[in-house]
């Protein structure tokens, strides 16, 4: 199962991605969670301690590794566009609560899809995760899709946008849907988070087609408490766990 979770900063992609990862791990599945976010914080939500997290360097910031694999350095502007990366997920991930975390970080492409060595590495690792791993892969990504090539998206099982009940989030969903269509993604699905009441639910239902709506996660102060204490929301809120379990069931049934 390969799942990409996208959305604007702060909407709750990390909360959702981390909880989903832990639910799969609880079933005994091998789970790899990849953090492809400039504000990489998936580790905390999975349950890592601060010390371990401080020791993790995102792959895209490992200059030596990028140089070694791509052949690019200050003198050499030419580099391999197909660097070897298949060993990277196992070598550079760390495990907690049954989930392996691989922090990739991100590369600023200015929306134009730069072809710097770091970006080549990032795209190739993501491609490798999606095409060549047989376990569950959950990617926590920023809204842009520039790290995904067509070959990658065609093999992705779920493309999920996390939104809040508001016009700006709906706009993000529409933008992602447009970009995703160009990349051959069959369906972009939505998880509406921080839903407070029936009006919020009605707003979401009015703006998101029924077939794209995976479910709701309600606004819950336990999630904020977990965040404040640097803990996994999974260990703090049974309600959110149940809501995300319901969403997972829909995903698993292939509905
Ligand atoms: N259902 C919820 N109820 C209340 N607060 C929530 C809920 N979901 C997320 N939050 C809070 O919203 C904030 C952002 O959540 P989270 O880090 O999961 O979002 P994100 O989209 O991954 O953000 P970023 O892009 O900055 O990584 C956190 O403080 C989190 O505790």
């Amino acid at each position: 199962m390969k799942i990409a979770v996208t959305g604007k900063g702060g909407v709750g992609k990390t909360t959702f991605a981390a909880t989903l990862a832990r639910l799969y791990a609880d079933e005994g599945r091998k789970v790899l969670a990849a953090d492809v976010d400039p504000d990489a914080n998936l580790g905390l939500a999975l349950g890592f301690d601060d010390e371990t997290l401080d020791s993790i360097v995102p792959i895209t910031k490992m200059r030596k590794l990028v140089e070694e694999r791509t052949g690019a350095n200050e003198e050499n502007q030419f580099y391999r566009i197909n660097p070897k990366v298949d060993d990277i997920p196992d070598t550079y991930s760390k495990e907690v609560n049954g989930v392996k975390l691989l922090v990739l970080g991100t590369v600023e492409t200015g929306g134009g899809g730069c072809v710097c060595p770091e970006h080549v590495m990032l795209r190739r690792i993501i491609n490798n995760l999606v095409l060549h791993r047989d376990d569950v892969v959950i990617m926590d990504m920023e809204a842009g899709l520039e790290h995904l090539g067509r070959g990658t998206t065609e093999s992705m099982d779920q493309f999920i946008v996390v939104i809040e009940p508001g016009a700006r989030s709906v706009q993000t969903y529409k933008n992602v849907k447009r970009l995703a269509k160009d990349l051959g993604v069959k369906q972009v699905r939505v998880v509406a988070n921080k839903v407070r009441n029936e009006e919020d639910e009605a707003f979401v239902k009015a703006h998101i087609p029924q077939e794209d709506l995976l479910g709701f996660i309600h606004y819950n102060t336990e999630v904020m408490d977990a965040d404040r204490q640097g803990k996994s929301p999974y260990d703090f809120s049974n309600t959110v766990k149940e809501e995300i379990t319901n969403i997972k069931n829909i995903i698993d049934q292939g509905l």
Side-chain angles (χ1 to χ4, degrees):
M1 176 67 79
K2 310 293 179 331
I3 301 174
V5 180
T6 70
K8 269 187 129 42
V11 291
K13 349 178 243 310
T14 301
T15 302
F16 173 67
T19 307
L20 194 60
R22 290 200 54 186
L23 287 169
Y24 277 114
D26 271 2
E27 286 180 352
R29 306 272 299 260
K30 275 172 67 188
V31 185
L32 186 135
D35 203 340
V36 198
D37 197 306
D39 292 330
N41 56 17
L42 185 58
L44 265 187
L46 285 170
F48 279 99
D49 58 69
D50 283 337
E51 207 181 317
T52 310
L53 288 177
D54 287 348
S55 71
I56 297 178
V57 179
I59 301 292
T60 47
K61 298 277 179 293
M62 292 187 177
R63 265 184 83 181
K64 273 225 158 82
L65 179 73
V66 175
E67 270 187 33
E68 177 200 304
R69 298 302 172 97
T70 63
N73 55 43
E74 276 165 20
E75 284 107 57
N76 181 17
Q77 299 306 310
F78 297 99
Y79 52 84
R80 281 172 223 116
I81 53 163
N82 55 352
K84 175 179 161 55
V85 297
D86 56 350
D87 58 322
I88 287 179
D90 287 319
T91 308
Y92 293 96
S93 59
K94 293 204 179 204
E95 186 165 337
V96 73
N97 294 316
V99 179
K100 281 187 172 181
L101 170 70
L102 182 67
V103 180
L104 295 171
T106 193
V107 180
E108 194 50 67
T109 64
C114 84
V115 279
C116 54
E118 291 81 2
H119 195 225
V120 167
M121 280 280 281
L122 182 60
R123 283 178 73 118
R124 195 148 164 95
I125 295 170
I126 293 176
N127 184 272
N128 180 273
L129 290 177
V130 174
L131 264 61
H132 301 298
R133 274 189 97 86
D134 55 6
D135 43 17
V136 177
V137 175
I138 297 175
M139 277 178 266
D140 180 359
M141 317 183 80
E142 52 187 342
L145 305 184
E146 61 263 35
H147 307 319
L148 306 174
R150 224 186 147 85
T152 312
T153 50
E154 280 170 0
S155 302
M156 199 93 78
D157 298 295
Q158 291 284 334
F159 213 93
I160 300 174
V161 187
V162 179
I163 67 162
E164 290 175 352
R168 280 195 295 273
S169 258
V170 169
Q171 202 53 47
T172 306
Y173 153 75
K174 286 185 179 160
N175 288 343
V176 172
K177 205 169 159 127
R178 186 172 38 79
L179 291 168
K181 200 169 167 214
D182 294 344
L183 286 166
V185 177
K186 284 174 238 82
Q187 192 180 18
V188 173
R189 307 182 86 182
V190 172
V191 168
N193 186 28
K194 304 192 192 180
V195 172
R196 291 162 307 170
N197 48 38
E198 283 178 6
E199 281 97 86
D200 281 353
E201 287 192 15
F203 177 88
V204 172
K205 285 181 181 162
H207 290 88
I208 306 294
Q210 198 187 345
E211 66 274 16
D212 286 355
L213 187 59
L214 269 174
F216 296 110
I217 306 170
H218 288 89
Y219 189 88
N220 192 317
T221 51
E222 290 166 338
V223 177
M224 302 186 73
D225 291 342
D227 188 29
R228 238 176 265 134
Q229 296 184 38
K231 296 268 169 22
S232 177
Y234 181 94
D235 297 318
F236 253 72
S237 175
N238 280 328
T239 312
V240 163
K241 214 162 108 178
E242 270 166 32
E243 289 177 328
I244 298 180
T245 301
N246 292 338
I247 291 169
K248 175 179 169 296
N249 289 340
I250 298 175
I251 294 173
D252 289 344
Q253 286 160 24
L255 297 173

